[in-house]
Amino acid sequence: MMDGCPGARTQDFREKETKGDESGKRQSQLRQWPIQLHLVSPEAPYYQKADVLLSADCVAFTVGDFHKDYLKGKSIAIACPKLDEGQDEYVEKIKSWIDDTKINTLTVMIMQVPCCGGLVAMAQQALQSAKRKIPVKSIVVSLQGDILSEEWVEA
Amino acid sequence: MERYLNTPIKEIITSFPEVGKILEEYSIGCVPCTLGSCLLKDIVAIHNLAEDKELELMYRIEKTIYPERDIKKPVFKASKKEPDKEIRYSPPMKRLVDEHTLIKKWIGRIPQVIENVDIESESGSQLILDGLDFIRFYADKFHHAKEEDILFDYTDKNLDIIRTILADHEAARGHVKEMLKAIGEKDTNAIIGHLCAYKDLLTEHIKKEDEILYPWIDRGLSTTQVGELFAKFNEAEEKMDKGVIEKCQKFIAEAEQRIENFHRS
Ligand SMILES: [Fe+2]
Ligand SMILES: [Fe+2]
Protein backbone atom coordinates (compact mmCIF):
# COMPACT_ATOMS: atom_id res chain seq x y z
CA MET A 1 0.00 0.00 0.00
CA MET A 2 1.40 3.41 -0.98
CA ASP A 3 0.27 6.49 0.86
CA GLY A 4 2.94 9.05 -0.04
CA CYS A 5 4.29 11.66 2.30
CA PRO A 6 1.65 12.36 4.96
CA GLY A 7 2.48 16.05 4.64
CA ALA A 8 1.30 16.17 1.05
CA ARG A 9 -1.28 13.40 0.89
CA THR A 10 -4.72 14.52 -0.36
CA GLN A 11 -7.41 14.18 2.27
CA ASP A 12 -11.02 15.30 2.14
CA PHE A 13 -12.77 16.38 5.34
CA ARG A 14 -15.86 17.86 3.69
CA GLU A 15 -18.15 15.34 5.31
CA LYS A 16 -17.11 16.49 8.77
CA GLU A 17 -19.94 17.81 10.90
CA THR A 18 -19.23 21.29 12.25
CA LYS A 19 -20.45 21.87 15.77
CA GLY A 20 -20.04 24.74 18.17
CA ASP A 21 -21.23 28.29 18.57
CA GLU A 22 -20.82 30.29 15.39
CA SER A 23 -22.82 33.31 16.52
CA GLY A 24 -21.34 36.71 17.28
CA LYS A 25 -18.13 38.23 16.03
CA ARG A 26 -14.69 37.75 17.53
CA GLN A 27 -11.94 40.30 17.40
CA SER A 28 -8.55 39.44 15.99
CA GLN A 29 -5.98 38.78 18.70
CA LEU A 30 -3.10 39.82 16.48
CA ARG A 31 -1.11 42.68 18.04
CA GLN A 32 1.65 43.22 15.49
CA TRP A 33 2.82 43.33 11.88
CA PRO A 34 4.74 41.76 10.16
CA ILE A 35 4.44 38.14 11.23
CA GLN A 36 6.47 36.07 8.74
CA LEU A 37 9.74 35.00 10.38
CA HIS A 38 11.90 36.35 7.52
CA LEU A 39 10.13 39.69 7.68
CA VAL A 40 10.08 40.31 11.42
CA SER A 41 12.89 41.89 13.34
CA PRO A 42 13.59 39.75 16.39
CA GLU A 43 14.20 42.94 18.34
CA ALA A 44 10.83 44.50 17.52
CA PRO A 45 9.22 45.99 20.63
CA TYR A 46 6.35 43.51 20.56
CA TYR A 47 8.81 40.69 21.25
CA GLN A 48 10.49 42.30 24.27
CA LYS A 49 10.04 39.97 27.25
CA ALA A 50 6.98 38.52 25.51
CA ASP A 51 5.50 35.07 25.38
CA VAL A 52 6.20 34.24 21.76
CA LEU A 53 4.26 31.86 19.54
CA LEU A 54 6.20 30.37 16.65
CA SER A 55 3.59 28.77 14.45
CA ALA A 56 3.89 26.64 11.35
CA ASP A 57 2.03 28.31 8.48
CA CYS A 58 -0.73 25.71 8.27
CA VAL A 59 -1.66 25.77 11.97
CA ALA A 60 -3.80 28.91 11.95
CA PHE A 61 -5.99 27.51 9.17
CA THR A 62 -6.45 24.24 11.01
CA VAL A 63 -7.24 25.17 14.62
CA GLY A 64 -10.73 26.65 14.86
CA ASP A 65 -10.06 28.68 17.98
CA PHE A 66 -6.52 29.69 17.12
CA HIS A 67 -6.97 33.36 18.00
CA LYS A 68 -8.87 32.82 21.24
CA ASP A 69 -6.89 29.89 22.63
CA TYR A 70 -3.36 30.27 21.29
CA LEU A 71 -2.64 33.72 19.81
CA LYS A 72 -4.24 35.74 22.61
CA GLY A 73 -1.66 37.44 24.81
CA LYS A 74 1.25 36.32 22.65
CA SER A 75 3.49 37.79 19.97
CA ILE A 76 3.78 35.65 16.90
CA ALA A 77 5.98 34.64 13.99
CA ILE A 78 5.10 32.11 11.30
CA ALA A 79 7.27 29.88 9.14
CA CYS A 80 7.21 26.68 7.12
CA PRO A 81 10.04 24.29 7.97
CA LYS A 82 9.36 22.27 4.82
CA LEU A 83 9.32 24.92 2.11
CA ASP A 84 11.00 28.08 3.40
CA GLU A 85 14.52 28.99 2.30
CA GLY A 86 17.23 30.37 4.54
CA GLN A 87 16.36 28.46 7.68
CA ASP A 88 19.74 29.25 9.26
CA GLU A 89 18.47 32.78 9.61
CA TYR A 90 15.44 31.42 11.41
CA VAL A 91 17.65 29.77 14.01
CA GLU A 92 19.58 33.04 14.46
CA LYS A 93 16.37 34.99 14.92
CA ILE A 94 15.04 32.60 17.53
CA LYS A 95 18.37 32.81 19.32
CA SER A 96 18.16 36.59 19.25
CA TRP A 97 14.67 36.42 20.80
CA ILE A 98 16.11 34.42 23.66
CA ASP A 99 19.33 36.36 24.23
CA ASP A 100 18.63 39.93 23.07
CA THR A 101 14.90 40.44 23.32
CA LYS A 102 14.79 38.27 26.44
CA ILE A 103 11.47 36.66 25.63
CA ASN A 104 9.69 34.99 28.53
CA THR A 105 8.65 31.74 26.83
CA LEU A 106 8.51 30.21 23.35
CA THR A 107 5.59 28.08 22.20
CA VAL A 108 6.14 26.19 18.95
CA MET A 109 2.94 25.09 17.27
CA ILE A 110 3.23 22.56 14.46
CA MET A 111 1.19 20.19 12.36
CA GLN A 112 1.26 16.46 12.94
CA VAL A 113 3.10 15.78 9.65
CA PRO A 114 6.74 14.68 10.11
CA CYS A 115 8.33 17.55 8.18
CA CYS A 116 6.81 20.02 10.64
CA GLY A 117 9.03 18.65 13.41
CA GLY A 118 11.79 20.71 11.83
CA LEU A 119 10.39 23.84 13.43
CA VAL A 120 10.73 22.39 16.93
CA ALA A 121 14.24 21.21 16.03
CA MET A 122 15.13 24.79 15.02
CA ALA A 123 13.86 26.11 18.33
CA GLN A 124 15.88 23.50 20.21
CA GLN A 125 18.99 24.33 18.23
CA ALA A 126 18.57 28.03 19.01
CA LEU A 127 17.96 27.29 22.68
CA GLN A 128 21.07 25.16 22.91
CA SER A 129 23.27 27.84 21.38
CA ALA A 130 21.70 30.72 23.33
CA LYS A 131 23.27 32.02 26.53
CA ARG A 132 19.95 32.50 28.27
CA LYS A 133 17.58 29.63 28.90
CA ILE A 134 13.80 29.85 28.67
CA PRO A 135 10.94 27.35 28.79
CA VAL A 136 9.97 26.07 25.33
CA LYS A 137 6.70 24.31 24.67
CA SER A 138 5.66 22.26 21.67
CA ILE A 139 2.05 21.85 20.59
CA VAL A 140 1.17 19.35 17.86
CA VAL A 141 -2.04 19.79 15.87
CA SER A 142 -3.83 17.10 13.87
CA LEU A 143 -4.87 17.71 10.28
CA GLN A 144 -8.42 18.18 11.52
CA GLY A 145 -7.45 20.77 14.09
CA ASP A 146 -7.35 18.70 17.28
CA ILE A 147 -4.54 19.21 19.77
CA LEU A 148 -2.59 15.94 19.80
CA SER A 149 0.00 16.91 22.38
CA GLU A 150 1.18 19.85 24.39
CA GLU A 151 4.44 19.46 26.23
CA TRP A 152 7.51 21.29 27.48
CA VAL A 153 10.59 20.60 25.40
CA GLU A 154 13.78 19.37 27.06
CA ALA A 155 16.59 21.83 26.53
CA MET B 1 22.28 3.48 14.19
CA GLU B 2 22.04 6.70 16.23
CA ARG B 3 23.60 8.55 13.26
CA TYR B 4 20.94 7.32 10.87
CA LEU B 5 18.12 8.26 13.22
CA ASN B 6 19.27 11.85 12.76
CA THR B 7 19.72 11.63 9.00
CA PRO B 8 17.19 13.02 6.48
CA ILE B 9 15.19 10.15 5.02
CA LYS B 10 16.11 10.99 1.41
CA GLU B 11 19.79 10.43 2.10
CA ILE B 12 19.05 7.07 3.70
CA ILE B 13 16.82 5.92 0.86
CA THR B 14 19.39 7.01 -1.72
CA SER B 15 22.09 4.92 -0.04
CA PHE B 16 19.79 2.06 0.93
CA PRO B 17 16.80 1.83 -1.47
CA GLU B 18 15.61 -1.23 0.42
CA VAL B 19 14.75 1.02 3.39
CA GLY B 20 12.21 2.86 1.23
CA LYS B 21 10.51 -0.43 0.41
CA ILE B 22 10.41 -1.43 4.06
CA LEU B 23 8.85 1.92 5.03
CA GLU B 24 6.20 1.41 2.36
CA GLU B 25 5.24 -1.90 3.94
CA TYR B 26 4.39 0.05 7.09
CA SER B 27 2.41 2.62 5.08
CA ILE B 28 5.14 5.20 5.53
CA GLY B 29 5.43 6.68 2.07
CA CYS B 30 8.63 8.69 1.96
CA VAL B 31 9.95 7.43 -1.38
CA PRO B 32 7.96 9.76 -3.67
CA CYS B 33 8.54 12.79 -1.44
CA THR B 34 10.55 15.37 -3.35
CA LEU B 35 12.04 16.93 -0.23
CA GLY B 36 12.78 13.99 2.03
CA SER B 37 14.21 16.30 4.67
CA CYS B 38 12.44 14.62 7.61
CA LEU B 39 14.74 12.77 9.99
CA LEU B 40 14.25 9.02 10.28
CA LYS B 41 13.57 9.22 14.02
CA ASP B 42 10.87 11.87 13.53
CA ILE B 43 9.22 9.83 10.83
CA VAL B 44 9.09 6.75 13.01
CA ALA B 45 7.91 8.70 16.07
CA ILE B 46 5.23 10.64 14.28
CA HIS B 47 3.65 7.60 12.68
CA ASN B 48 3.04 6.29 16.15
CA LEU B 49 3.13 2.62 15.24
CA ALA B 50 2.19 0.01 17.81
CA GLU B 51 5.20 -0.75 19.99
CA ASP B 52 5.92 -4.16 18.47
CA LYS B 53 5.50 -2.83 14.93
CA GLU B 54 7.95 -0.05 15.63
CA LEU B 55 10.51 -2.47 17.08
CA GLU B 56 10.12 -4.72 14.07
CA LEU B 57 10.51 -1.81 11.65
CA MET B 58 13.63 -0.47 13.37
CA TYR B 59 15.12 -3.95 13.46
CA ARG B 60 14.59 -4.38 9.72
CA ILE B 61 16.03 -0.97 8.86
CA GLU B 62 19.07 -1.55 11.02
CA LYS B 63 19.58 -4.99 9.47
CA THR B 64 19.45 -3.37 6.00
CA ILE B 65 21.97 -0.67 6.84
CA TYR B 66 24.32 -2.99 8.74
CA PRO B 67 23.88 -6.46 7.16
CA GLU B 68 27.17 -7.62 8.64
CA ARG B 69 26.16 -6.83 12.20
CA ASP B 70 24.72 -9.37 14.55
CA ILE B 71 21.56 -7.55 15.54
CA LYS B 72 19.26 -9.33 17.94
CA LYS B 73 15.77 -9.77 16.64
CA PRO B 74 13.45 -8.14 19.15
CA VAL B 75 10.99 -10.32 20.99
CA PHE B 76 7.53 -9.12 20.08
CA LYS B 77 5.17 -9.20 22.98
CA ALA B 78 1.58 -8.61 22.06
CA SER B 79 1.35 -5.92 24.71
CA LYS B 80 -0.81 -2.84 24.36
CA LYS B 81 0.89 0.51 24.84
CA GLU B 82 0.89 1.29 28.56
CA PRO B 83 -0.76 4.58 29.33
CA ASP B 84 1.78 7.24 30.19
CA LYS B 85 1.93 7.33 33.98
CA GLU B 86 5.05 9.42 34.20
CA ILE B 87 4.44 12.92 35.57
CA ARG B 88 5.42 15.70 33.18
CA TYR B 89 6.72 18.82 34.90
CA SER B 90 7.16 22.32 33.50
CA PRO B 91 10.83 23.38 33.27
CA PRO B 92 10.98 25.33 36.55
CA MET B 93 9.24 22.51 38.40
CA LYS B 94 11.51 19.97 36.75
CA ARG B 95 14.46 21.84 38.19
CA LEU B 96 13.11 21.47 41.73
CA VAL B 97 12.47 17.77 41.09
CA ASP B 98 16.08 17.37 39.93
CA GLU B 99 17.27 19.05 43.13
CA HIS B 100 15.20 16.53 45.08
CA THR B 101 17.09 13.78 43.30
CA LEU B 102 20.36 15.08 44.72
CA ILE B 103 18.88 15.53 48.20
CA LYS B 104 17.51 11.98 48.05
CA LYS B 105 21.01 10.70 47.32
CA TRP B 106 22.23 12.04 50.65
CA ILE B 107 19.12 10.82 52.47
CA GLY B 108 19.73 7.38 51.01
CA ARG B 109 23.20 7.31 52.58
CA ILE B 110 22.09 8.34 56.05
CA PRO B 111 21.43 4.75 57.28
CA GLN B 112 25.03 3.79 56.43
CA VAL B 113 26.30 6.91 58.15
CA ILE B 114 24.28 6.25 61.27
CA GLU B 115 25.55 2.69 61.49
CA ASN B 116 29.04 3.92 62.14
CA VAL B 117 28.95 7.37 63.63
CA ASP B 118 32.29 8.18 65.21
CA ILE B 119 32.15 11.71 66.43
CA GLU B 120 35.48 11.35 68.26
CA SER B 121 37.54 10.78 65.11
CA GLU B 122 38.51 13.60 62.80
CA SER B 123 37.12 11.99 59.63
CA GLY B 124 34.01 10.79 61.45
CA SER B 125 33.00 14.20 62.73
CA GLN B 126 33.94 15.84 59.43
CA LEU B 127 31.57 13.55 57.54
CA ILE B 128 28.71 14.53 59.85
CA LEU B 129 29.56 18.22 59.57
CA ASP B 130 29.80 18.12 55.77
CA GLY B 131 26.49 16.27 55.59
CA LEU B 132 24.96 18.93 57.76
CA ASP B 133 26.37 21.65 55.51
CA PHE B 134 24.77 19.95 52.53
CA ILE B 135 21.43 20.01 54.33
CA ARG B 136 21.81 23.64 55.37
CA PHE B 137 23.12 25.11 52.14
CA TYR B 138 21.70 22.89 49.44
CA ALA B 139 18.46 21.44 50.79
CA ASP B 140 17.55 24.53 52.76
CA LYS B 141 19.12 27.74 51.43
CA PHE B 142 19.29 26.70 47.79
CA HIS B 143 16.17 24.56 47.46
CA HIS B 144 13.65 25.36 50.20
CA ALA B 145 14.31 29.06 49.74
CA LYS B 146 13.25 28.87 46.10
CA GLU B 147 10.06 27.16 47.19
CA GLU B 148 9.28 29.57 50.00
CA ASP B 149 10.37 32.87 48.47
CA ILE B 150 9.27 32.28 44.89
CA LEU B 151 7.15 29.22 44.14
CA PHE B 152 4.63 29.50 46.95
CA ASP B 153 3.80 33.06 45.91
CA TYR B 154 1.95 31.40 43.06
CA THR B 155 -0.29 29.60 45.53
CA ASP B 156 -2.46 30.57 48.46
CA LYS B 157 -0.15 30.27 51.45
CA ASN B 158 -3.11 29.67 53.75
CA LEU B 159 -4.00 26.42 52.05
CA ASP B 160 -3.48 23.30 54.16
CA ILE B 161 -1.10 21.73 51.73
CA ILE B 162 1.21 24.77 51.77
CA ARG B 163 1.03 25.04 55.55
CA THR B 164 2.01 21.40 55.88
CA ILE B 165 4.94 21.90 53.54
CA LEU B 166 6.11 25.00 55.41
CA ALA B 167 5.79 23.16 58.72
CA ASP B 168 8.00 20.39 57.30
CA HIS B 169 10.65 22.96 56.38
CA GLU B 170 10.55 24.35 59.90
CA ALA B 171 10.79 20.89 61.42
CA ALA B 172 13.80 20.15 59.20
CA ARG B 173 15.47 23.35 60.40
CA GLY B 174 14.78 22.28 63.98
CA HIS B 175 16.61 19.00 63.41
CA VAL B 176 19.59 20.85 61.92
CA LYS B 177 19.80 23.11 64.96
CA GLU B 178 19.65 20.15 67.32
CA MET B 179 22.28 18.28 65.33
CA LEU B 180 24.67 21.20 65.49
CA LYS B 181 24.19 21.28 69.24
CA ALA B 182 24.68 17.52 69.52
CA ILE B 183 27.90 17.69 67.51
CA GLY B 184 29.20 20.36 69.88
CA GLU B 185 28.35 18.17 72.84
CA LYS B 186 29.64 15.01 71.09
CA ASP B 187 26.28 13.41 71.83
CA THR B 188 26.19 10.45 69.44
CA ASN B 189 22.67 9.32 70.35
CA ALA B 190 21.20 12.74 69.71
CA ILE B 191 23.04 13.00 66.36
CA ILE B 192 21.64 9.63 65.28
CA GLY B 193 18.16 10.51 66.49
CA HIS B 194 17.94 13.77 64.58
CA LEU B 195 19.63 12.47 61.45
CA CYS B 196 17.12 9.62 61.38
CA ALA B 197 14.19 11.93 61.96
CA TYR B 198 15.44 14.25 59.23
CA LYS B 199 15.69 11.35 56.80
CA ASP B 200 12.11 10.21 57.51
CA LEU B 201 10.76 13.74 57.35
CA LEU B 202 12.42 14.65 54.05
CA THR B 203 11.61 11.32 52.40
CA GLU B 204 7.91 11.91 52.94
CA HIS B 205 8.20 15.61 52.20
CA ILE B 206 9.84 15.10 48.82
CA LYS B 207 7.31 12.43 47.87
CA LYS B 208 4.48 14.82 48.72
CA GLU B 209 6.00 17.57 46.61
CA ASP B 210 6.94 15.42 43.61
CA GLU B 211 3.69 13.54 43.40
CA ILE B 212 1.09 15.97 44.63
CA LEU B 213 2.16 19.54 45.23
CA TYR B 214 4.23 20.23 42.11
CA PRO B 215 1.84 18.61 39.62
CA TRP B 216 -1.01 20.50 41.23
CA ILE B 217 0.78 23.86 41.08
CA ASP B 218 1.85 23.09 37.51
CA ARG B 219 -1.73 22.52 36.41
CA GLY B 220 -2.67 25.98 37.63
CA LEU B 221 0.19 27.88 35.99
CA SER B 222 -0.24 29.78 32.75
CA THR B 223 2.54 29.72 30.14
CA THR B 224 3.45 33.27 31.15
CA GLN B 225 3.76 32.23 34.79
CA VAL B 226 5.95 29.26 33.89
CA GLY B 227 8.33 31.67 32.12
CA GLU B 228 8.30 34.08 35.06
CA LEU B 229 8.99 31.33 37.56
CA PHE B 230 11.85 30.03 35.46
CA ALA B 231 13.40 33.52 35.23
CA LYS B 232 13.00 34.12 38.97
CA PHE B 233 14.71 30.83 39.79
CA ASN B 234 17.60 31.82 37.54
CA GLU B 235 17.85 35.22 39.18
CA ALA B 236 17.80 33.72 42.67
CA GLU B 237 20.51 31.21 41.76
CA GLU B 238 22.72 33.90 40.30
CA LYS B 239 22.66 35.70 43.62
CA MET B 240 23.83 32.62 45.47
CA ASP B 241 27.42 31.65 46.08
CA LYS B 242 28.27 29.24 43.24
CA GLY B 243 31.24 27.83 45.14
CA VAL B 244 29.02 26.64 47.97
CA ILE B 245 26.59 24.92 45.61
CA GLU B 246 29.43 23.22 43.75
CA LYS B 247 30.86 22.05 47.04
CA CYS B 248 27.49 20.51 47.91
CA GLN B 249 27.31 18.69 44.57
CA LYS B 250 30.87 17.48 45.05
CA PHE B 251 30.00 16.26 48.53
CA ILE B 252 27.29 13.97 47.12
CA ALA B 253 29.61 12.69 44.39
CA GLU B 254 32.24 11.77 46.96
CA ALA B 255 30.00 10.72 49.85
CA GLU B 256 29.83 7.06 48.88
CA GLN B 257 33.60 6.69 48.81
CA ARG B 258 34.00 8.53 52.10
CA ILE B 259 31.42 6.38 53.85
CA GLU B 260 33.08 3.23 52.52
CA ASN B 261 36.54 4.33 53.63
CA PHE B 262 35.10 5.07 56.98
CA HIS B 263 33.55 1.62 57.29
CA ARG B 264 36.85 -0.04 56.45
CA SER B 265 38.97 1.91 58.90
FE1 LIG C 1 9.86 21.64 50.35
FE1 LIG D 1 11.32 20.48 47.81
Side-chain angles (χ1 to χ4, degrees):
Chain A
M1 189 176 85
M2 260 314 306
D3 283 340
C5 171
R9 190 189 306 152
T10 304
Q11 296 181 56
D12 190 342
F13 307 139
R14 284 179 298 177
E15 298 294 304
K16 191 165 87 175
E17 227 185 294
T18 52
K19 290 190 208 108
D21 182 14
E22 294 297 325
S23 64
K25 283 200 191 294
R26 277 154 292 273
Q27 274 200 321
S28 166
Q29 296 293 340
L30 187 65
R31 313 182 297 182
Q32 65 180 76
W33 193 263
I35 59 171
Q36 209 291 327
L37 191 48
H38 274 310
L39 300 180
V40 300
S41 157
E43 294 183 59
Y46 43 77
Y47 291 129
Q48 302 287 339
K49 297 193 169 143
D51 293 298
V52 175
L53 176 63
L54 175 61
S55 174
D57 290 348
C58 301
V59 168
F61 300 99
T62 318
V63 179
D65 280 318
F66 181 76
H67 279 249
K68 171 170 85 63
D69 294 340
Y70 297 97
L71 181 55
K72 190 175 181 181
K74 294 201 180 73
S75 297
I76 191 174
I78 60 166
C80 175
K82 181 159 179 147
L83 302 172
D84 293 355
E85 308 257 318
Q87 299 194 7
D88 291 348
E89 281 170 51
Y90 284 171
V91 175
E92 282 308 307
K93 284 193 176 182
I94 300 169
K95 192 178 156 202
S96 175
W97 276 339
I98 300 170
D99 278 339
D100 308 323
T101 327
K102 300 193 168 38
I103 61 170
N104 187 47
T105 58
L106 179 65
T107 302
V108 187
M109 232 173 148
I110 61 168
M111 299 303 302
Q112 142 190 53
V113 296
C115 40
C116 230
L119 202 59
V120 178
M122 270 185 247
Q124 273 172 307
Q125 202 188 327
L127 185 64
Q128 274 155 18
S129 62
K131 286 187 214 79
R132 265 179 93 238
K133 295 290 166 243
I134 55 159
V136 175
K137 186 188 264 188
S138 129
I139 301 177
V140 181
V141 178
S142 83
L143 302 189
Q144 304 216 37
D146 299 316
I147 303 301
L148 294 178
S149 70
E150 179 164 347
E151 53 198 38
W152 295 100
V153 175
E154 299 274 329
Chain B
M1 194 59 196
E2 190 64 31
R3 180 161 75 90
Y4 284 101
L5 287 174
N6 291 302
T7 301
I9 195 64
K10 188 133 211 149
E11 270 179 57
I12 299 179
I13 293 176
T14 308
S15 316
F16 309 97
E18 186 66 26
V19 172
K21 285 187 202 140
I22 295 173
L23 287 170
E24 278 164 26
E25 281 182 44
Y26 293 81
S27 302
I28 303 178
C30 291
V31 178
C33 180
T34 46
L35 279 143
S37 54
C38 307
L39 307 182
L40 175 61
K41 66 167 190 212
D42 291 337
I43 290 164
V44 173
I46 215 104
H47 278 82
N48 202 22
L49 299 168
E51 207 180 348
D52 52 342
K53 282 275 164 221
E54 191 174 304
L55 279 171
E56 189 188 29
L57 170 66
M58 293 316 289
Y59 164 75
R60 291 183 60 193
I61 292 177
E62 197 170 353
K63 200 81 194 134
T64 307
I65 297 178
Y66 302 110
E68 75 289 354
R69 270 194 204 171
D70 181 24
I71 303 157
K72 283 222 173 67
K73 194 168 181 175
V75 189
F76 306 127
K77 281 189 221 128
S79 63
K80 290 235 171 83
K81 252 191 184 169
E82 280 262 308
D84 196 3
K85 276 190 202 129
E86 192 197 335
I87 304 169
R88 304 282 189 133
Y89 300 99
S90 68
M93 228 56 100
K94 174 79 170 46
R95 193 181 305 181
L96 296 178
V97 172
D98 288 344
E99 288 167 11
H100 283 168
T101 307
L102 201 68
I103 298 169
K104 281 195 285 189
K105 277 196 181 152
W106 171 233
I107 292 174
R109 305 237 176 269
I110 289 180
Q112 286 169 280
V113 173
I114 288 172
E115 234 175 81
N116 246 326
V117 178
D118 179 8
I119 202 68
E120 300 295 337
S121 80
E122 168 84 40
S123 63
S125 66
Q126 197 55 50
L127 182 63
I128 299 288
L129 279 171
D130 288 350
L132 208 53
D133 274 351
F134 174 81
I135 293 172
R136 286 156 74 198
F137 294 113
Y138 193 86
D140 204 33
K141 274 218 172 85
F142 187 66
H143 177 79
H144 288 165
K146 265 188 285 197
E147 294 177 335
E148 292 181 3
D149 302 342
I150 302 169
L151 179 66
F152 297 165
D153 284 345
Y154 289 81
T155 66
D156 178 351
K157 286 188 183 175
N158 291 314
L159 287 171
D160 278 343
I161 185 164
I162 304 295
R163 284 182 189 212
T164 312
I165 292 289
L166 290 173
D168 286 351
H169 290 181
E170 277 315 312
R173 282 167 196 144
H175 289 305
V176 169
K177 228 187 201 166
E178 291 299 320
M179 270 188 272
L180 276 172
K181 206 171 115 203
I183 292 168
E185 291 166 357
K186 297 197 187 292
D187 181 347
T188 305
N189 281 337
I191 294 172
I192 291 177
H194 287 291
L195 212 47
C196 237
Y198 180 86
K199 171 185 74 88
D200 293 343
L201 175 70
L202 260 278
T203 305
E204 270 308 301
H205 180 78
I206 287 176
K207 198 171 147 63
K208 254 184 283 185
E209 290 186 333
D210 281 355
E211 293 174 13
I212 301 161
L213 182 71
Y214 293 172
W216 171 74
I217 294 178
D218 242 348
R219 284 196 293 276
L221 292 175
S222 66
T223 299
T224 309
Q225 285 174 322
V226 168
E228 263 173 35
L229 202 51
F230 191 82
K232 283 181 188 170
F233 282 177
N234 284 345
E235 230 173 84
E237 283 179 21
E238 269 159 34
K239 280 190 205 141
M240 288 180 206
D241 186 339
K242 282 201 183 60
V244 173
I245 301 308
E246 276 162 23
K247 208 181 133 203
C248 289
Q249 288 160 336
K250 195 164 156 247
F251 168 72
I252 296 299
E254 293 172 355
E256 183 178 19
Q257 197 56 50
R258 282 176 70 180
I259 294 166
E260 257 176 40
N261 290 348
F262 195 67
H263 273 238
R264 258 185 252 125
S265 61

